[in-house]
Amino acid sequence: MLNRAKLLAKKKKSLKVVPLTPEQKRREAAQKLALRQQNRQQLAMHSRWKPGYFGSSVMLLPLQTEELMAEMVSPRVESTLHKVVHRLKQQLGKPYVWGGQTPSQGFDCSGLIYYVYNQLLSRKLPRTANGMFQDRGLKHVPKEALRRGDLIFFQIKSRDKADHVGVYLGEGQFIEAPRTGLNIRISQFEDDYWQDHYLGAKRVITEESVL
């Protein structure tokens, strides 16, 4: 019995977690996307649905994605989120310019957000990435509760502050003005590079903040 226990312990110790390959990551992301779409179709079929219940007595199974739950917002907030994403995507392909904050100039990472959001908010955002991250008026959001329009912050070169910011678009994507020599683009938040440099997230678009 002792020898068998030692062999089992040795075998368990030798097992290693093998990281996912890029192809496996893409396949997993595709499966998550299909699941989200299926959940949205479920909601569309049940016009009287509210969290947990359909009608007055039949309880629905909980949705299988936190992101879909986070997307349940008022029409007013939804309208503002739509405007934010639309205006951000209008800037795709424009050059990164340090200090830029208008379409004619180009944008740096925080300048893009400053330009798009401050047209729609009752309380204006600071100008820099770290200023936005340190703003106590903005609510911290855990990674698993991210929704469209949330700001996501990174430490690229700095060790003690946020020096890059993008806007989460949903489905594991975010829009950013990356750096000199590159254009505004959509990037994959789940890529190892971004996960390694991720600092945190803040929610900007709320019922209280929109005009």
Side-chain angles (χ1 to χ4, degrees):
M1 287 294 291
L2 184 61
N3 288 338
R4 184 172 182 274
K6 286 182 177 180
L7 286 171
L8 288 172
K10 186 176 180 181
K11 184 177 180 181
K12 187 175 181 181
K13 189 176 180 181
S14 66
L15 291 175
K16 295 181 179 180
V17 177
V18 180
L20 296 176
T21 65
E23 179 58 33
Q24 287 173 322
K25 287 183 178 180
R26 282 191 290 271
R27 193 179 301 121
E28 188 177 89
Q31 290 172 344
K32 288 181 180 178
L33 175 58
L35 181 58
R36 291 186 186 112
Q37 290 172 338
Q38 183 182 358
N39 284 332
R40 288 192 176 99
Q41 288 170 357
Q42 261 190 322
L43 283 179
M45 291 170 60
H46 301 297
S47 58
R48 294 174 61 198
W49 182 86
K50 62 181 181 178
Y53 293 90
F54 173 63
S56 59
S57 60
V58 181
M59 187 167 186
L60 293 177
L61 292 174
L63 296 175
Q64 300 177 52
T65 166
E66 292 289 339
E67 188 173 318
L68 185 56
M69 291 297 290
E71 285 290 320
M72 295 176 62
V73 296
S74 71
R76 184 164 167 260
V77 170
E78 174 61 36
S79 174
T80 304
L81 287 170
H82 178 78
K83 290 175 186 175
V84 163
V85 172
H86 177 69
R87 293 178 185 182
L88 286 168
K89 289 185 175 181
Q90 283 183 318
Q91 313 311 319
L92 284 170
K94 291 180 179 173
Y96 176 96
V97 177
W98 188 84
Q101 59 184 44
T102 67
S104 59
Q105 291 175 317
F107 298 94
D108 61 19
C109 65
S110 56
L112 174 63
I113 291 162
Y114 187 83
Y115 167 76
V116 169
Y117 280 76
N118 281 349
Q119 300 178 55
L120 302 167
L121 298 176
S122 58
R123 176 181 175 274
K124 307 310 178 188
L125 291 174
R127 173 59 180 83
T128 66
N130 196 54
M132 294 173 189
F133 185 68
Q134 298 296 336
D135 189 337
R136 295 182 179 179
L138 302 179
K139 177 186 174 183
H140 278 284
V141 181
K143 191 189 294 186
E144 62 273 14
L146 283 171
R147 79 175 185 208
R148 284 176 306 147
D150 289 344
L151 304 185
I152 49 178
F153 297 88
F154 304 91
Q155 288 178 315
I156 306 299
K157 295 180 180 178
S158 174
R159 292 186 177 181
D160 60 351
K161 64 180 182 180
D163 57 8
H164 189 57
V165 59
V167 179
Y168 189 69
L169 299 177
E171 313 296 359
Q173 296 184 324
F174 72 101
I175 191 167
E176 57 159 341
R179 58 181 171 82
T180 302
L182 296 176
N183 297 331
I184 294 172
R185 67 187 184 187
I186 292 175
S187 299
Q188 300 299 319
F189 180 52
E190 296 301 324
D191 283 357
D192 289 343
Y193 177 84
W194 297 114
Q195 293 300 305
D196 290 345
H197 292 86
Y198 179 69
L199 183 60
K202 290 286 191 87
R203 179 150 298 158
V204 179
I205 305 299
T206 65
E207 199 68 46
E208 297 74 29
S209 70
V210 297
L211 290 172

